[in-house]
Amino acid sequence: MTNKITWRSPSNIAIIKYWGKHGIQLPRNPSISFTLNHAFTEMTLEYRVKEQQDNRISLEFEFEERDKIEKFRQKMVAFLESQLPIFPFLIELDLKITSSNSFPHSAGIASSASSMSALALCLCSLENDYLGYHTEGGDFLQKASYLSRLASGSACRSVYPTMAVWGECNDVKGSSDLFAVGFESEIHEIFKSYHDDILIAATGEKSVSSRMGHGLMNDNPYASARYEQARTRMSRLIAALKAGDIETFGQICEDEAMTLHALMMTTSPWFTLLKPNTLKMIEILRGWRETTKVPAYFSLDAGPNLHLLYPDAFEPQVKELINNELKQYCENQRVIFDTVGQGAVKL
Ligand code: DP6
């Protein structure tokens, strides 16, 4: 008999960035992110007991980007093998994973946060179903977050609604380097309906992966000052999130985006993921904000796309700016309109 589990898990955008790690996927500094809504991965895991037992992971993988299937399948097999000490029963099963993303293939959006958290959630549900465990609620999400972290650091923040914090810090009770914790209840209402419009500056394959980028931080001469700075910013940001201080929020958000990219430019060998159109859009946004006083600020992931973050009340003005001035600098005029979301859901 074949059984089926499906999870939908979203992407997230970090405001304080995770950049630099040590040990087994442990962050050098705490990070915090907004969980997104429309940018998600939907993953179905089918399983049945192997007819003939052996000691290998048996995994079939289906994905819309055909040329990437084998590469992703191998990555997943390697991950599942590494998890055998926690999930030894995986070896007893024939597994089939079918995965699809809500955002277009070539949108240049990092999909590891949504896909790896979806995988972790499916595995935790599989453990419940197959072994008859009853892990639920907060414990279930914490376990899924822990497992997501092992697959991709930023993924551990995706399972929670609204906001999540990963990494031990004094300002957040229960925070840990091992898993993220939800951070919804303490933030001001205004942040719960924030928008994140993603302006697609370019969609090509990244020249340097996040994994390599984290590695290069080990020899970055500014690394220790950076980790200290992230902690200080985290404290200030948390106070701003609680108070509903959108200006301080926006300032820290932009400072972090630029710091992330400055760190890339100060490693050896240096690299940059920014494109001329990214800077062009930043310049336009800044000028427009000065004249209109609309509190829209940007963030950047490890890529050239601009994330425009702003409170719901300013949607009409920001849409006008995007349509009239920014869209022309996007590849094929592409923009993904997203908002803060409710976290992962089992379908
Ligand atoms: C720039 O989570 O992709 O998006 O742990 O090696 O999989 P791995 O790295 P990854 O790093 C993402 C870093 C970032 C900032 C962030 O999301 O905090």
Side-chain angles (χ1 to χ4, degrees):
M1 194 182 74
T2 304
N3 298 282
K4 223 179 194 179
I5 294 158
T6 302
W7 275 92
R8 171 185 288 179
S9 192
S11 188
N12 69 75
I13 176 75
I15 308 304
I16 302 290
K17 309 289 183 184
Y18 147 59
W19 199 243
K21 60 179 168 181
H22 66 107
I24 301 175
Q25 290 284 99
L26 299 169
R28 289 281 185 194
N29 62 263
S31 59
I32 182 166
S33 56
F34 274 130
T35 303
L36 298 183
N37 189 17
H38 299 307
F40 59 79
T41 295
E42 220 166 85
M43 190 175 278
T44 297
L45 170 65
E46 291 169 73
Y47 67 95
R48 59 158 190 238
V49 177
K50 281 180 184 169
E51 275 174 15
Q52 273 195 325
Q53 292 295 323
D54 55 22
N55 54 7
R56 289 183 317 118
I57 295 282
S58 151
L59 174 68
E60 199 184 319
F61 181 58
E62 262 180 35
F63 186 55
E64 62 228 328
E65 290 179 71
R66 299 192 152 271
D67 55 322
K68 298 206 174 122
I69 289 181
E70 192 43 33
K71 187 174 128 200
F72 285 180
R73 197 190 73 84
Q74 283 175 16
K75 268 193 178 170
M76 284 189 175
V77 169
F79 175 67
L80 296 176
E81 274 169 356
S82 73
Q83 295 316 306
L84 282 173
I86 334 182
F87 296 117
F89 59 86
L90 289 176
I91 228 140
E92 298 166 17
L93 305 170
D94 279 322
L95 304 167
K96 181 176 174 190
I97 290 176
T98 310
S99 182
S100 64
N101 294 330
S102 63
F103 38 91
H105 310 167
S106 53
I109 298 191
S111 58
S112 78
S114 57
S115 58
M116 290 302 118
S117 54
L119 176 62
L121 288 154
C122 284
L123 289 175
C124 290
S125 287
L126 168 63
E127 185 186 49
N128 270 0
D129 287 5
Y130 188 63
L131 298 183
Y133 287 6
H134 297 286
T135 317
E136 290 174 337
D139 289 346
F140 181 87
L141 290 184
Q142 187 163 306
K143 190 166 193 176
S145 176
Y146 178 97
L147 194 59
S148 304
R149 177 198 113 236
L150 296 174
S152 177
S154 56
C156 75
R157 298 183 309 241
S158 269
V159 301
Y160 297 101
T162 312
M163 289 199 101
V165 170
W166 172 36
E168 207 177 317
C169 63
N170 297 335
D171 313 271
V172 180
K173 248 192 25 225
S175 56
S176 166
D177 285 356
L178 301 177
F179 48 80
V181 292
F183 194 65
E184 185 187 29
S185 59
E186 293 179 64
I187 67 171
H188 190 278
E189 280 304 309
I190 195 160
F191 294 110
K192 297 185 182 172
S193 55
Y194 244 59
H195 287 246
D196 177 8
D197 294 342
I198 312 168
L199 298 145
I200 309 296
T203 61
E205 190 96 355
K206 280 196 279 189
S207 54
V208 177
S209 68
S210 289
R211 207 146 284 220
M212 278 169 76
H214 286 290
L216 286 165
M217 277 301 282
N218 291 334
D219 294 319
N220 186 309
Y222 304 107
S224 58
R226 155 62 191 160
Y227 302 139
E228 196 52 46
Q229 173 192 62
R231 287 180 190 281
T232 313
R233 283 182 178 164
M234 188 77 174
S235 295
R236 287 180 50 223
L237 180 71
I238 285 188
L241 288 168
K242 288 181 178 170
D245 179 352
I246 53 181
E247 269 79 26
T248 304
F249 164 85
Q251 225 171 53
I252 297 174
C253 182
E254 291 192 353
D255 289 351
E256 274 291 296
M258 288 317 231
T259 300
L260 171 68
H261 286 265
L263 288 167
M264 296 175 190
M265 291 186 232
T266 51
T267 52
S268 182
W270 67 271
F271 64 102
T272 184
L273 302 175
L274 298 176
K275 298 285 179 200
N277 281 350
T278 315
L279 296 174
K280 188 75 208 165
M281 290 193 280
I282 289 176
E283 200 174 279
I284 294 171
L285 172 70
R286 235 188 178 177
W288 176 82
R289 189 169 63 219
E290 261 161 41
T291 31
T292 61
K293 309 291 177 217
V294 171
Y297 294 85
F298 71 85
S299 185
L300 295 160
D301 240 333
N305 304 326
L306 207 65
H307 288 247
L308 222 55
L309 295 153
Y310 57 91
D312 186 48
F314 295 96
E315 185 180 5
Q317 288 103 304
V318 178
K319 291 272 167 359
E320 208 177 294
L321 170 76
I322 292 175
N323 286 326
N324 298 345
E325 298 194 52
L326 298 177
K327 224 164 133 172
Q328 58 184 309
Y329 296 103
C330 295
E331 200 174 281
N332 299 322
Q333 310 228 355
R334 186 179 275 169
V335 182
I336 294 174
F337 297 99
D338 211 340
T339 54
V340 165
Q342 284 313 298
V345 274
K346 190 163 187 244
L347 302 176

